[in-house]
Amino acid sequence: MLTMKTLILPIDPTAPDPTAIRQAAVVLQHGGLVAFPTETVYGLGANALDAEAVQRIFAAKGRPAYDPLIVHLAGPEALPAVGVEIPPLAETLAAQFWPGPLTLVLPRGPRIPLAVTAGGPTVAVRVPAHPVALALIRAAGFPIAAPSANRFGHLSPTQAAHVLDDLEGHIDMLLDSGPTPVGVESTVLSLVTPVPTILRPGGVSRESLVAVLGQVDVSGHVFTAEEVVPSPGALEQHYAPRARLTLYQGSRQVVLQAMHAAAVQLVAAGQRVGLLLAEGDAVAFAGLSVTVQSIETAGGLEGAARQLFTALRALDRAGVTAILARDFGARGLGLAIRDRLTRAAAGNVVKVG
Ligand code: TXA
Ligand code: MG
């Protein structure tokens, strides 16, 4: 594929420099690709109304054309302009959660190119809660289609360096605002099903959706490539690190014991073992020759979500051949973390007492 020079512009996350924003908007207006921060992860943006520009996203990511993109708007008032009708439920949700990490799947509007929706009758839309993303959409003057700014199947980028690792030379510009504050991708909620259905758990918790909607389904099934894929991101083995990952679920003590036993065996077999733990867990592995990444769990799972992908990338970079990861429960952001780790494990999940 064609390589180009990627221009990197550092930009303040709270008060973005209008000149840098204008420069990025011009790239988008010419059909180019700009990686930019959102509150969840970095996105790889193109003009959502320009089918050719949208095709470039798929090429740069190595993403199959059957996987549709999220359209990012500056506000819900932009929906009618692209022909997307807002059902009453979407209005309620938008009032409550936008700007923020909630993506709504709605019937596609006529101005949305089929390249964006992978030929499908629905479109995913969201209003990101990041000053840089919002300023960029406004300056561009059109909605921005953006998947996470990683090679297809890799971990989503929560820092500019992650974007460069995957896409340097394949994108025109990168706006670097430092680490993204949420760290896991948006919750994808379908409003075209009889009951609103979470297709991908993410930054807005199931509990907070239930509080507003009363009833929410979670498509609990992890789809394989052979099956019909309601949300193609729900493909197994998405979000994968390079090393083989095993996820341990159960009560903390039993999980740590099982992980310890497995680590001892793997090390004895000559494997280089990486552990994904919560702060405070590492003492259970003292004396073992393993690489540890501990993520923050004090006072809720916000810290853990923010650090998750950076920790997994760090284990990959350390050259480990096997990753043992613990589960963080299903409450709040725990569900999104469990979802990403389950996919990274490609079904390799150990359930203990
Ligand atoms: O937080 C996020 O959502 C980030 C930032 C950049 O906004 N974006 C992101 O995009 O994670 P991506 O493309 O990596 O994941 C979007 C997910 C995929 O699982 C895709 O299959 C699903 O949303 N999706 C997109 N359009 C859809 C549609 N019309 N119906 C069902 N699922 C859809
Ligand atoms: Mg992605």
Side-chain angles (χ1 to χ4, degrees):
M1 102 150 269
L2 210 73
T3 59
M4 50 181 110
K5 180 114 186 70
T6 300
L7 185 62
I8 304 162
L9 294 185
I11 185 160
D12 188 290
T14 51
D17 168 30
T19 310
I21 290 290
R22 253 195 314 276
Q23 247 181 295
V26 168
V27 172
L28 292 174
Q29 285 156 359
H30 285 88
L33 300 182
V34 175
F36 64 98
T38 78
E39 79 280 30
T40 57
V41 301
Y42 276 78
L44 173 54
N47 179 354
L49 306 182
D50 175 348
E52 257 177 62
V54 168
Q55 298 296 355
R56 284 192 196 107
I57 292 179
F58 287 88
K61 279 193 63 124
R63 179 173 173 123
Y66 60 71
D67 197 355
L69 305 178
I70 296 173
V71 173
H72 297 70
L73 311 159
E77 66 284 351
L79 281 170
V82 291
V84 177
E85 279 180 41
I86 322 175
L89 215 52
E91 254 174 54
T92 308
L93 291 165
Q96 185 79 20
F97 297 105
W98 283 354
L102 178 67
T103 294
L104 299 178
V105 173
L106 300 171
R108 181 181 73 93
R111 289 194 64 206
I112 306 286
L114 285 168
V116 169
T117 68
T122 61
V123 63
V125 293
R126 86 175 186 101
V127 177
H130 196 295
V132 172
L134 289 172
L136 184 61
I137 299 164
R138 288 199 187 100
F142 43 71
I144 297 178
S148 51
N150 51 278
R151 293 282 300 170
F152 182 69
H154 286 196
L155 300 163
S156 288
T158 54
Q159 298 180 26
H162 301 166
V163 177
L164 290 177
D165 282 348
D166 274 21
L167 295 174
E168 179 152 35
H170 299 284
I171 55 179
D172 299 288
M173 189 180 278
L174 164 61
L175 299 177
D176 177 358
S177 287
T180 55
V182 176
V184 292
E185 304 88 339
S186 62
T187 301
V188 179
L189 182 74
S190 175
L191 294 183
V192 300
T193 44
V195 173
T197 303
I198 295 176
L199 302 177
R200 177 181 71 180
V204 167
S205 71
R206 185 182 58 86
E207 293 90 329
S208 49
L209 290 173
V210 169
V212 173
L213 297 172
Q215 195 189 0
V216 177
D217 276 358
V218 182
S219 74
H221 184 68
V222 177
F223 289 84
T224 62
E226 289 71 41
E227 295 174 275
V228 180
V229 180
S231 188
L235 282 174
E236 250 184 87
Q237 220 176 355
H238 211 70
Y239 313 107
R242 275 183 285 270
R244 178 181 164 83
L245 187 144
T246 308
L247 175 62
Y248 286 80
Q249 288 183 356
S251 65
R252 177 172 178 268
Q253 273 319 318
V254 187
V255 157
L256 294 182
Q257 272 163 23
M259 288 172 75
H260 189 277
V264 168
Q265 273 196 353
L266 287 165
V267 170
Q271 298 264 346
R272 299 175 63 180
V273 176
L275 302 176
L276 181 76
L277 301 171
E279 269 176 0
D281 290 343
V283 284
F285 301 87
L288 268 182
S289 165
V290 292
T291 305
V292 173
Q293 284 286 324
S294 298
I295 57 182
E296 216 176 281
T297 50
L301 290 173
E302 279 75 17
R306 201 179 303 125
Q307 296 164 0
L308 177 70
F309 291 140
T310 297
L312 289 172
R313 279 185 186 252
L315 290 175
D316 257 349
R317 226 185 20 255
V320 302
T321 54
I323 297 174
L324 308 180
R326 61 161 278 184
D327 183 60
F328 295 85
R331 276 208 224 141
L333 290 171
L335 193 64
I337 296 172
R338 175 180 287 179
D339 173 82
R340 305 309 183 269
L341 289 174
T342 303
R343 294 183 201 298
N348 194 19
V349 179
V350 176
K351 291 186 177 146
V352 292

mmCIF file of all heavy atoms in Angstrom, residues 43-78:
data_model
loop_
_atom_site.group_PDB
_atom_site.id
_atom_site.type_symbol
_atom_site.label_atom_id
_atom_site.label_comp_id
_atom_site.label_asym_id
_atom_site.label_seq_id
_atom_site.Cartn_x
_atom_site.Cartn_y
_atom_site.Cartn_z
ATOM 1 N N GLY A 43 -9.510 7.904 17.055
ATOM 2 C CA GLY A 43 -10.256 7.502 15.879
ATOM 3 C C GLY A 43 -9.464 7.816 14.614
ATOM 4 O O GLY A 43 -8.576 8.669 14.609
ATOM 5 N N LEU A 44 -9.791 7.092 13.543
ATOM 6 C CA LEU A 44 -9.169 7.328 12.240
ATOM 7 C C LEU A 44 -10.241 7.938 11.344
ATOM 8 O O LEU A 44 -11.123 7.239 10.856
ATOM 9 C CB LEU A 44 -8.657 6.008 11.665
ATOM 10 C CG LEU A 44 -8.113 6.026 10.243
ATOM 11 C CD1 LEU A 44 -7.033 7.082 10.085
ATOM 12 C CD2 LEU A 44 -7.547 4.663 9.889
ATOM 13 N N GLY A 45 -10.173 9.267 11.164
ATOM 14 C CA GLY A 45 -11.293 9.995 10.584
ATOM 15 C C GLY A 45 -11.166 10.313 9.107
ATOM 16 O O GLY A 45 -10.077 10.520 8.569
ATOM 17 N N ALA A 46 -12.341 10.327 8.452
ATOM 18 C CA ALA A 46 -12.472 10.810 7.076
ATOM 19 C C ALA A 46 -13.856 11.438 6.946
ATOM 20 O O ALA A 46 -14.729 11.209 7.795
ATOM 21 C CB ALA A 46 -12.322 9.664 6.081
ATOM 22 N N ASN A 47 -14.049 12.207 5.896
ATOM 23 C CA ASN A 47 -15.357 12.800 5.602
ATOM 24 C C ASN A 47 -16.386 11.686 5.414
ATOM 25 O O ASN A 47 -16.305 10.913 4.458
ATOM 26 C CB ASN A 47 -15.242 13.656 4.332
ATOM 27 C CG ASN A 47 -16.572 14.293 3.946
ATOM 28 O OD1 ASN A 47 -17.609 14.028 4.539
ATOM 29 N ND2 ASN A 47 -16.515 15.165 2.938
ATOM 30 N N ALA A 48 -17.378 11.645 6.307
ATOM 31 C CA ALA A 48 -18.364 10.558 6.268
ATOM 32 C C ALA A 48 -19.264 10.639 5.042
ATOM 33 O O ALA A 48 -19.937 9.664 4.703
ATOM 34 C CB ALA A 48 -19.222 10.576 7.532
ATOM 35 N N LEU A 49 -19.284 11.784 4.367
ATOM 36 C CA LEU A 49 -20.177 11.933 3.216
ATOM 37 C C LEU A 49 -19.434 11.704 1.898
ATOM 38 O O LEU A 49 -20.006 11.872 0.816
ATOM 39 C CB LEU A 49 -20.830 13.320 3.233
ATOM 40 C CG LEU A 49 -21.563 13.666 4.544
ATOM 41 C CD1 LEU A 49 -22.219 15.030 4.445
ATOM 42 C CD2 LEU A 49 -22.579 12.590 4.896
ATOM 43 N N ASP A 50 -18.156 11.345 1.974
ATOM 44 C CA ASP A 50 -17.314 11.159 0.795
ATOM 45 C C ASP A 50 -16.895 9.682 0.729
ATOM 46 O O ASP A 50 -16.008 9.229 1.457
ATOM 47 C CB ASP A 50 -16.087 12.091 0.933
ATOM 48 C CG ASP A 50 -15.064 11.909 -0.175
ATOM 49 O OD1 ASP A 50 -15.144 10.920 -0.941
ATOM 50 O OD2 ASP A 50 -14.151 12.752 -0.259
ATOM 51 N N ALA A 51 -17.570 8.928 -0.149
ATOM 52 C CA ALA A 51 -17.358 7.470 -0.198
ATOM 53 C C ALA A 51 -15.898 7.113 -0.478
ATOM 54 O O ALA A 51 -15.362 6.148 0.076
ATOM 55 C CB ALA A 51 -18.264 6.837 -1.250
ATOM 56 N N GLU A 52 -15.229 7.930 -1.318
ATOM 57 C CA GLU A 52 -13.833 7.627 -1.640
ATOM 58 C C GLU A 52 -12.924 7.786 -0.424
ATOM 59 O O GLU A 52 -12.032 6.974 -0.182
ATOM 60 C CB GLU A 52 -13.335 8.581 -2.730
ATOM 61 C CG GLU A 52 -13.281 7.948 -4.095
ATOM 62 C CD GLU A 52 -12.851 8.958 -5.137
ATOM 63 O OE1 GLU A 52 -11.712 9.484 -5.030
ATOM 64 O OE2 GLU A 52 -13.670 9.261 -6.036
ATOM 65 N N ALA A 53 -13.165 8.868 0.326
ATOM 66 C CA ALA A 53 -12.378 9.101 1.542
ATOM 67 C C ALA A 53 -12.617 7.967 2.536
ATOM 68 O O ALA A 53 -11.682 7.482 3.188
ATOM 69 C CB ALA A 53 -12.754 10.449 2.162
ATOM 70 N N VAL A 54 -13.870 7.536 2.619
ATOM 71 C CA VAL A 54 -14.211 6.452 3.543
ATOM 72 C C VAL A 54 -13.498 5.155 3.139
ATOM 73 O O VAL A 54 -13.000 4.407 3.990
ATOM 74 C CB VAL A 54 -15.752 6.262 3.588
ATOM 75 C CG1 VAL A 54 -16.126 4.967 4.292
ATOM 76 C CG2 VAL A 54 -16.408 7.461 4.280
ATOM 77 N N GLN A 55 -13.397 4.919 1.836
ATOM 78 C CA GLN A 55 -12.664 3.729 1.362
ATOM 79 C C GLN A 55 -11.220 3.741 1.850
ATOM 80 O O GLN A 55 -10.648 2.688 2.148
ATOM 81 C CB GLN A 55 -12.655 3.644 -0.174
ATOM 82 C CG GLN A 55 -14.021 3.507 -0.830
ATOM 83 C CD GLN A 55 -14.732 2.197 -0.473
ATOM 84 O OE1 GLN A 55 -14.166 1.338 0.206
ATOM 85 N NE2 GLN A 55 -15.974 2.066 -0.904
ATOM 86 N N ARG A 56 -10.635 4.938 1.911
ATOM 87 C CA ARG A 56 -9.231 5.039 2.357
ATOM 88 C C ARG A 56 -9.072 4.550 3.794
ATOM 89 O O ARG A 56 -8.031 4.018 4.167
ATOM 90 C CB ARG A 56 -8.736 6.487 2.248
ATOM 91 C CG ARG A 56 -8.457 6.855 0.831
ATOM 92 C CD ARG A 56 -7.692 8.186 0.694
ATOM 93 N NE ARG A 56 -7.859 8.566 -0.689
ATOM 94 C CZ ARG A 56 -8.640 9.550 -1.132
ATOM 95 N NH1 ARG A 56 -9.245 10.344 -0.270
ATOM 96 N NH2 ARG A 56 -8.779 9.776 -2.401
ATOM 97 N N ILE A 57 -10.107 4.766 4.625
ATOM 98 C CA ILE A 57 -10.043 4.264 6.002
ATOM 99 C C ILE A 57 -9.876 2.740 5.984
ATOM 100 O O ILE A 57 -9.025 2.182 6.687
ATOM 101 C CB ILE A 57 -11.333 4.614 6.782
ATOM 102 C CG1 ILE A 57 -11.454 6.119 7.014
ATOM 103 C CG2 ILE A 57 -11.369 3.861 8.113
ATOM 104 C CD1 ILE A 57 -12.733 6.523 7.761
ATOM 105 N N PHE A 58 -10.709 2.085 5.174
ATOM 106 C CA PHE A 58 -10.665 0.616 5.121
ATOM 107 C C PHE A 58 -9.290 0.138 4.649
ATOM 108 O O PHE A 58 -8.730 -0.822 5.188
ATOM 109 C CB PHE A 58 -11.773 0.082 4.205
ATOM 110 C CG PHE A 58 -13.152 0.187 4.811
ATOM 111 C CD1 PHE A 58 -13.912 1.344 4.657
ATOM 112 C CD2 PHE A 58 -13.671 -0.857 5.562
ATOM 113 C CE1 PHE A 58 -15.179 1.441 5.227
ATOM 114 C CE2 PHE A 58 -14.940 -0.763 6.141
ATOM 115 C CZ PHE A 58 -15.694 0.393 5.970
ATOM 116 N N ALA A 59 -8.739 0.847 3.646
ATOM 117 C CA ALA A 59 -7.421 0.459 3.130
ATOM 118 C C ALA A 59 -6.343 0.645 4.191
ATOM 119 O O ALA A 59 -5.507 -0.241 4.407
ATOM 120 C CB ALA A 59 -7.099 1.275 1.877
ATOM 121 N N ALA A 60 -6.363 1.797 4.870
ATOM 122 C CA ALA A 60 -5.312 2.088 5.853
ATOM 123 C C ALA A 60 -5.341 1.093 7.010
ATOM 124 O O ALA A 60 -4.308 0.686 7.522
ATOM 125 C CB ALA A 60 -5.469 3.515 6.388
ATOM 126 N N LYS A 61 -6.529 0.683 7.422
ATOM 127 C CA LYS A 61 -6.674 -0.227 8.564
ATOM 128 C C LYS A 61 -6.518 -1.691 8.191
ATOM 129 O O LYS A 61 -6.344 -2.541 9.066
ATOM 130 C CB LYS A 61 -8.080 -0.089 9.184
ATOM 131 C CG LYS A 61 -8.266 1.068 10.111
ATOM 132 C CD LYS A 61 -9.576 0.920 10.896
ATOM 133 C CE LYS A 61 -9.621 -0.280 11.798
ATOM 134 N NZ LYS A 61 -9.897 -0.019 13.203
ATOM 135 N N GLY A 62 -6.664 -1.980 6.900
ATOM 136 C CA GLY A 62 -6.750 -3.378 6.505
ATOM 137 C C GLY A 62 -8.060 -3.956 7.007
ATOM 138 O O GLY A 62 -8.140 -5.121 7.395
ATOM 139 N N ARG A 63 -9.101 -3.119 7.015
ATOM 140 C CA ARG A 63 -10.393 -3.525 7.576
ATOM 141 C C ARG A 63 -11.292 -4.062 6.476
ATOM 142 O O ARG A 63 -11.401 -3.461 5.419
ATOM 143 C CB ARG A 63 -11.039 -2.308 8.223
ATOM 144 C CG ARG A 63 -12.418 -2.533 8.861
ATOM 145 C CD ARG A 63 -12.795 -1.268 9.593
ATOM 146 N NE ARG A 63 -14.121 -1.215 10.125
ATOM 147 C CZ ARG A 63 -14.386 -0.991 11.429
ATOM 148 N NH1 ARG A 63 -13.403 -0.884 12.281
ATOM 149 N NH2 ARG A 63 -15.612 -0.880 11.846
ATOM 150 N N PRO A 64 -11.942 -5.205 6.724
ATOM 151 C CA PRO A 64 -12.838 -5.747 5.695
ATOM 152 C C PRO A 64 -14.034 -4.824 5.469
ATOM 153 O O PRO A 64 -14.522 -4.195 6.411
ATOM 154 C CB PRO A 64 -13.291 -7.088 6.272
ATOM 155 C CG PRO A 64 -12.996 -7.032 7.724
ATOM 156 C CD PRO A 64 -11.888 -6.040 7.925
ATOM 157 N N ALA A 65 -14.492 -4.755 4.229
ATOM 158 C CA ALA A 65 -15.561 -3.818 3.849
ATOM 159 C C ALA A 65 -16.883 -4.151 4.523
ATOM 160 O O ALA A 65 -17.787 -3.325 4.546
ATOM 161 C CB ALA A 65 -15.722 -3.818 2.330
ATOM 162 N N TYR A 66 -17.027 -5.358 5.099
ATOM 163 C CA TYR A 66 -18.310 -5.714 5.726
ATOM 164 C C TYR A 66 -18.462 -5.135 7.126
ATOM 165 O O TYR A 66 -19.495 -5.283 7.757
ATOM 166 C CB TYR A 66 -18.523 -7.231 5.758
ATOM 167 C CG TYR A 66 -17.467 -8.014 6.528
ATOM 168 C CD1 TYR A 66 -17.398 -7.954 7.920
ATOM 169 C CD2 TYR A 66 -16.546 -8.819 5.864
ATOM 170 C CE1 TYR A 66 -16.436 -8.672 8.626
ATOM 171 C CE2 TYR A 66 -15.589 -9.539 6.556
ATOM 172 C CZ TYR A 66 -15.528 -9.460 7.936
ATOM 173 O OH TYR A 66 -14.571 -10.162 8.630
ATOM 174 N N ASP A 67 -17.424 -4.465 7.642
ATOM 175 C CA ASP A 67 -17.482 -3.932 9.007
ATOM 176 C C ASP A 67 -17.784 -2.427 8.976
ATOM 177 O O ASP A 67 -16.920 -1.628 8.617
ATOM 178 C CB ASP A 67 -16.143 -4.202 9.702
ATOM 179 C CG ASP A 67 -16.241 -4.066 11.220
ATOM 180 O OD1 ASP A 67 -17.319 -3.680 11.715
ATOM 181 O OD2 ASP A 67 -15.242 -4.342 11.888
ATOM 182 N N PRO A 68 -19.003 -2.010 9.341
ATOM 183 C CA PRO A 68 -19.412 -0.615 9.189
ATOM 184 C C PRO A 68 -18.734 0.337 10.180
ATOM 185 O O PRO A 68 -18.194 -0.094 11.191
ATOM 186 C CB PRO A 68 -20.921 -0.665 9.442
ATOM 187 C CG PRO A 68 -21.115 -1.860 10.309
ATOM 188 C CD PRO A 68 -20.062 -2.851 9.920
ATOM 189 N N LEU A 69 -18.789 1.624 9.853
ATOM 190 C CA LEU A 69 -18.097 2.643 10.650
ATOM 191 C C LEU A 69 -19.083 3.481 11.467
ATOM 192 O O LEU A 69 -20.251 3.625 11.102
ATOM 193 C CB LEU A 69 -17.326 3.594 9.728
ATOM 194 C CG LEU A 69 -16.333 2.959 8.762
ATOM 195 C CD1 LEU A 69 -15.700 4.053 7.895
ATOM 196 C CD2 LEU A 69 -15.253 2.195 9.524
ATOM 197 N N ILE A 70 -18.582 4.086 12.533
ATOM 198 C CA ILE A 70 -19.372 5.023 13.333
ATOM 199 C C ILE A 70 -19.224 6.418 12.735
ATOM 200 O O ILE A 70 -18.123 6.847 12.393
ATOM 201 C CB ILE A 70 -18.891 5.031 14.801
ATOM 202 C CG1 ILE A 70 -19.128 3.660 15.448
ATOM 203 C CG2 ILE A 70 -19.611 6.132 15.591
ATOM 204 C CD1 ILE A 70 -18.532 3.522 16.845
ATOM 205 N N VAL A 71 -20.359 7.125 12.608
ATOM 206 C CA VAL A 71 -20.358 8.502 12.134
ATOM 207 C C VAL A 71 -20.379 9.428 13.354
ATOM 208 O O VAL A 71 -21.261 9.316 14.211
ATOM 209 C CB VAL A 71 -21.578 8.758 11.231
ATOM 210 C CG1 VAL A 71 -21.682 10.229 10.866
ATOM 211 C CG2 VAL A 71 -21.485 7.894 9.972
ATOM 212 N N HIS A 72 -19.391 10.314 13.421
ATOM 213 C CA HIS A 72 -19.251 11.233 14.551
ATOM 214 C C HIS A 72 -19.816 12.600 14.193
ATOM 215 O O HIS A 72 -19.450 13.172 13.159
ATOM 216 C CB HIS A 72 -17.779 11.353 14.958
ATOM 217 C CG HIS A 72 -17.186 10.060 15.447
ATOM 218 N ND1 HIS A 72 -16.938 8.991 14.605
ATOM 219 C CD2 HIS A 72 -16.804 9.660 16.674
ATOM 220 C CE1 HIS A 72 -16.421 7.986 15.317
ATOM 221 N NE2 HIS A 72 -16.330 8.373 16.579
ATOM 222 N N LEU A 73 -20.683 13.090 15.067
ATOM 223 C CA LEU A 73 -21.357 14.373 14.835
ATOM 224 C C LEU A 73 -21.008 15.344 15.957
ATOM 225 O O LEU A 73 -20.644 14.931 17.051
ATOM 226 C CB LEU A 73 -22.874 14.166 14.860
ATOM 227 C CG LEU A 73 -23.449 13.036 14.025
ATOM 228 C CD1 LEU A 73 -24.825 12.661 14.554
ATOM 229 C CD2 LEU A 73 -23.522 13.470 12.573
ATOM 230 N N ALA A 74 -21.204 16.659 15.651
ATOM 231 C CA ALA A 74 -20.957 17.667 16.690
ATOM 232 C C ALA A 74 -22.140 17.770 17.648
ATOM 233 O O ALA A 74 -22.015 18.295 18.751
ATOM 234 C CB ALA A 74 -20.656 19.017 16.052
ATOM 235 N N GLY A 75 -23.302 17.271 17.225
ATOM 236 C CA GLY A 75 -24.477 17.310 18.100
ATOM 237 C C GLY A 75 -25.631 16.618 17.410
ATOM 238 O O GLY A 75 -25.592 16.391 16.196
ATOM 239 N N PRO A 76 -26.678 16.242 18.172
ATOM 240 C CA PRO A 76 -27.804 15.517 17.575
ATOM 241 C C PRO A 76 -28.526 16.325 16.500
ATOM 242 O O PRO A 76 -29.155 15.758 15.603
ATOM 243 C CB PRO A 76 -28.734 15.250 18.768
ATOM 244 C CG PRO A 76 -28.258 16.098 19.882
ATOM 245 C CD PRO A 76 -26.830 16.450 19.614
ATOM 246 N N GLU A 77 -28.382 17.662 16.558
ATOM 247 C CA GLU A 77 -29.061 18.517 15.564
ATOM 248 C C GLU A 77 -28.494 18.296 14.164
ATOM 249 O O GLU A 77 -29.106 18.705 13.172
ATOM 250 C CB GLU A 77 -28.975 19.999 15.971
ATOM 251 C CG GLU A 77 -27.574 20.610 15.965
ATOM 252 C CD GLU A 77 -26.723 20.194 17.177
ATOM 253 O OE1 GLU A 77 -27.272 19.564 18.118
ATOM 254 O OE2 GLU A 77 -25.516 20.484 17.179
ATOM 255 N N ALA A 78 -27.341 17.615 14.059
ATOM 256 C CA ALA A 78 -26.749 17.355 12.742
ATOM 257 C C ALA A 78 -27.380 16.135 12.061
ATOM 258 O O ALA A 78 -27.164 15.901 10.870
ATOM 259 C CB ALA A 78 -25.242 17.139 12.887
#
